[in-house]
Amino acid sequence: MTTKLFGEPVRRREDARLIIGKGRYLDDIGHHALAAAFVRSPHAHARITDIDVEAALDVEGLVAIYTYEDLHGPMAEPLPVLIPHPQLHSPRTGYPLANGIVNHVGEPIAMVVAIDRYIAEDAAERIAVSYEELPVVVGVDAAREAAHWVHEDVPSNVAAHHHQETGDVEPALAASPHTLSFTQYIERSACTPMEGKGVHARWDPDDGSLRVYTSTQASTSVRAAIAAKLQLSLDKVEVIAPDVGGGFGVKIVHPWPEELLVPMAAIALQQEVKWAEDRREHFISSAHERQQKQEITVGFTDEGRITALDVHIWHDNGAYTPYGIIVPIVTATQLVGPYVLPVYRVIVESVYTNTVIVTPYRGAGRPQGCYAMERTMDRIADELGLDRALVRERNLIQPDQFPYDHHLTFQDGRPVIYDSGDYPGLMAKLKTLVGWDDVETLRAEASSRGKQLGIGMALYVEGTGPGPYEGGHVQVLGSGKVLVSTGLTSQGQGHETVFAQIVASELGVPIEDIEVTTGDTRRFGYAVGTFASRAAVMSGNAIALAARGVKEKALRIAADVLEASPDDLEIDNGVVQVKGVPGSSVPLRTVAVLSNPLRYAFDEAAKQATQFAIPGSDDKPPVAVGDAPGLEHRDYYSPIRSTFASGAHAAIVEIDPQTWEIDVVKYAVVHDCGNVVNPMIVEGQVHGGVAQGVGGALYERMAYDKDGQLQNASFMDFLMPYASEVPEIDIDHQQTPSPLNPLGIKGAGEAGVIPGTAAIASAIEDAVGRRIAAMPISPTELYDLVRNPESELTATAGRRAGTGAMA
């Protein structure tokens, strides 16, 4: 069996365990723990005038009730702004429990602990909270008007004013042969993973240590937050992410109030305490994303080449800014896509509203940026009567222009310099894959069936693998098992398989002998987290470096045994051998035993490493200076800047003019994430992302009313695409290795979702001949748009069917 598995479609090793119900999720832990429940605000904006717990005290099985008055020290302070930024001039965060004011429905006010969740919920219902309601701000337009303020000390409702610029926009626009100005919207959506958040905490009073299990994307960061807020020594806090049932960004936020309050209660009560989020709680108290209003002005030539782009974005950040302004920064810097923009200005005003906080959701600002840029390309093509693909091709960065510096600053504080790519190659592959040049034949055939057919495309560049670092540890045991650990967490991406493939290839061992652990601070205490398509880039390279360190030591030890030079040795299928001389070899497991000089023999294998079995040289210590016992190595990868993956998507839609149902009948993806570790897993990530892209384009939205009440806080009302709504996806790969890391890889986790909204909007517009300015779009909204005589007709529709055809 080969051990060179890098690039092979190895089946996911974790799936069998999860499919047969052997997963261990948060709610599988602590069956006998005390249970927590929360009293949450029913109002979007109100002053708390009284909290009366008297009626709850009679509930049998009640253990404790906590309000803000019970918080002390750092726990009584606001939650941290995790990523400060100089342009975030008015950051605001909430408290673990509301301190006098609530700013969105679902904000926690009190925590109840009881012997089980049912009793905790019963007691929570009996707590009477009195409110003085305050004016409510919902949506970016209301925030801009600032007739009312979310925070009384932020009179404009503007949390941040983010500005980046290359060149002088006004003169460049004035000198442009053509200019266009338009406005478009993207609505709120949310991650909605299958498993909500959850926390279990256990306190050991004898040694003053705390163990916390939490469904998180950042176990080491949660550990640091808990230690800081509860004033514990970091070495006394352990945080473990068990199996996590999806994250998509919402679980990168830390600490959630519950991640502090549950451990606080466990310490105070000296008993295990657990809380598992229910679905309504997740909808109204976790995090959302996406909502932006985009005001765009573009200058361009007769050939469709952009001369200047000016974008003003109004970003809804919800009631607080715990994750800083990462999402709008990503929008601002990823908007440029794969194109040459001689002059570019982006201004983002991130505003407060009385709605749930906004933090990254798969794509994290990139879908909005792609929507702005790709719809701009469509508008230019329509204005000039040119093919949409041709306009894109004329603006693409060329392969000989890499590395390409956009002179912008990315979310990691590093420059936006594209490391490698072939964007014309992506475009050529996409046109062939989707049949771009044959669409009129498809349109005629659809028309014969009474359907309106349209095609759209969207290209993107995705910054992946931002730092500052990740680490990896590889250890070979005397049994031959290889233990691999890294600090970042897993939520279904296939890390166990991918990291094992990397080690098998680097170390020359069978993948069956490799065990991978992620997200456990007991095994690896220093890490950043899983987000921004960074796991393979960051931990993958760190693990590769660690495996190379193990290999170097193994060859050095084996060289003494085999009386050969390390340069003449290789490891294959777990055996160290002289190259070309298979009989001259030693098992790697034996090398692991020999790496640890022993005084005592505990088993047969240990006998090989005792002092009389291998007496060694009289003038050398048993453990060399600078060396350490054991066949293991720990290493870290810290990049100078992010890698930039890229791709191109195309969608073909059919629309029934009787029902205005929108059916995505074909979807094509060409994807470039550098060297591919496992193409099967990459395709799985793309498939999942495309499904979320279809959802974002046609179904998913968080619908708030004017009072800040979420109208669709359940899966009965929040629409998502089923398998029946997700088309078959044709995928092609392109590989342009990154020169920035040892493995030449780029991230892939968010690629599938980024261009979906833009590509589908383009296809719908092509089908019906009306401007699509807001997404997602429902059949009812499409019907209203087409039947509204004031809605704007595209020039393409006029040329193809006559100006009055869609009136």
Side-chain angles (χ1 to χ4, degrees), residues 740-762:
L740 299 182
N741 61 72
L743 297 178
I745 59 180
K746 307 172 185 179
E750 297 172 277
V753 74
I754 293 170
T757 298
I760 293 172
S762 180

Side-chain angles (χ1 to χ4, degrees), residues 598-617:
L598 294 174
R599 181 175 179 83
Y600 306 109
F602 304 106
D603 55 24
E604 290 301 315
K607 289 181 180 180
Q608 301 174 76
T610 56
Q611 53 201 354
F612 294 109
I614 48 168
S617 172

Side-chain angles (χ1 to χ4, degrees), residues 178-223:
H178 305 274
T179 60
L180 279 173
S181 295
F182 56 99
T183 300
Q184 54 190 28
Y185 290 83
I186 289 186
E187 295 291 344
R188 270 189 176 226
S189 187
C191 299
T192 57
M194 291 182 68
E195 179 200 33
K197 305 194 304 294
V199 188
H200 172 272
R202 185 177 72 204
W203 172 251
D204 186 336
D206 292 332
D207 69 358
S209 65
L210 177 71
R211 177 176 294 180
V212 177
Y213 293 87
T214 179
S215 185
T216 184
Q217 294 174 233
S219 56
T220 55
S221 298
V222 172
R223 178 194 188 201

Side-chain angles (χ1 to χ4, degrees), residues 28-322:
D28 295 320
I29 299 167
H31 292 299
H32 303 293
L34 300 177
F38 288 86
V39 177
R40 299 184 183 276
S41 172
H43 302 292
H45 198 196
R47 181 171 287 106
I48 300 169
T49 58
D50 184 58
I51 303 176
D52 185 355
V53 303
E54 191 68 28
L57 299 178
D58 295 331
V59 174
E60 185 175 353
L62 174 71
V63 177
I65 298 173
Y66 299 93
T67 68
Y68 177 78
E69 300 302 320
D70 300 300
L71 307 182
H72 305 287
M75 281 291 289
E77 299 170 357
L79 296 168
V81 177
L82 293 170
I83 307 175
H85 192 281
Q87 293 180 351
L88 177 57
H89 54 73
S90 299
R92 299 292 181 271
T93 58
Y95 293 81
L97 294 171
N99 179 17
I101 299 282
V102 290
N103 288 302
H104 66 85
V105 171
E107 190 160 353
I109 294 172
M111 178 175 71
V112 176
V113 181
I115 59 174
D116 64 39
R117 180 64 175 263
Y118 300 99
I119 293 173
E121 295 281 2
D122 289 345
E125 287 184 3
R126 296 193 181 193
I127 295 174
V129 183
S130 300
Y131 302 91
E132 175 192 338
E133 293 189 49
L134 300 172
V136 175
V137 177
V138 175
V140 292
D141 290 332
R144 288 179 64 179
E145 291 169 6
H148 305 291
W149 307 339
V150 174
H151 301 285
E152 60 184 12
D153 55 348
V154 187
S156 66
N157 287 323
V158 177
H161 187 278
H162 181 67
H163 176 200
Q164 296 202 50
E165 186 170 359
T166 60
D168 199 343
V169 169
E170 278 82 6
L173 287 172
S176 299
H178 305 274
T179 60
L180 279 173
S181 295
F182 56 99
T183 300
Q184 54 190 28
Y185 290 83
I186 289 186
E187 295 291 344
R188 270 189 176 226
S189 187
C191 299
T192 57
M194 291 182 68
E195 179 200 33
K197 305 194 304 294
V199 188
H200 172 272
R202 185 177 72 204
W203 172 251
D204 186 336
D206 292 332
D207 69 358
S209 65
L210 177 71
R211 177 176 294 180
V212 177
Y213 293 87
T214 179
S215 185
T216 184
Q217 294 174 233
S219 56
T220 55
S221 298
V222 172
R223 178 194 188 201
I226 290 173
K229 282 290 189 179
L230 298 183
Q231 296 181 291
L232 300 172
S233 175
L234 187 65
D235 68 312
K236 291 294 186 179
V237 180
E238 299 172 347
V239 173
I240 301 125
D243 288 323
V244 176
F248 307 111
V250 66
K251 295 177 183 177
I252 190 61
V253 182
H254 58 274
W256 286 102
E258 301 87 357
E259 288 175 320
L260 300 175
L261 293 165
V262 170
M264 181 193 77
I267 294 171
L269 302 172
Q270 298 200 9
Q271 295 189 65
E272 295 180 39
V273 180
K274 183 174 79 172
W275 166 78
E277 184 179 61
D278 66 36
R279 186 53 59 183
R280 177 168 172 78
E281 278 185 298
H282 187 82
F283 270 104
I284 67 171
S285 65
S286 289
H288 302 164
E289 215 240 72
R290 301 288 195 251
Q291 188 171 65
Q292 290 182 0
K293 180 178 183 179
Q294 302 172 339
E295 299 170 346
I296 300 168
T297 299
V298 61
F300 51 98
T301 68
D302 293 338
E303 295 78 27
R305 290 186 173 86
I306 292 178
T307 54
L309 181 64
D310 190 18
V311 182
H312 193 151
I313 296 170
W314 295 86
H315 173 78
D316 178 358
N317 57 227
Y320 302 114
T321 54

Side-chain angles (χ1 to χ4, degrees), residues 448-461:
S448 71
R449 293 183 283 108
K451 300 294 183 68
Q452 296 173 213
L453 182 141
I455 188 170
M457 67 165 52
L459 281 64
Y460 69 94
V461 175

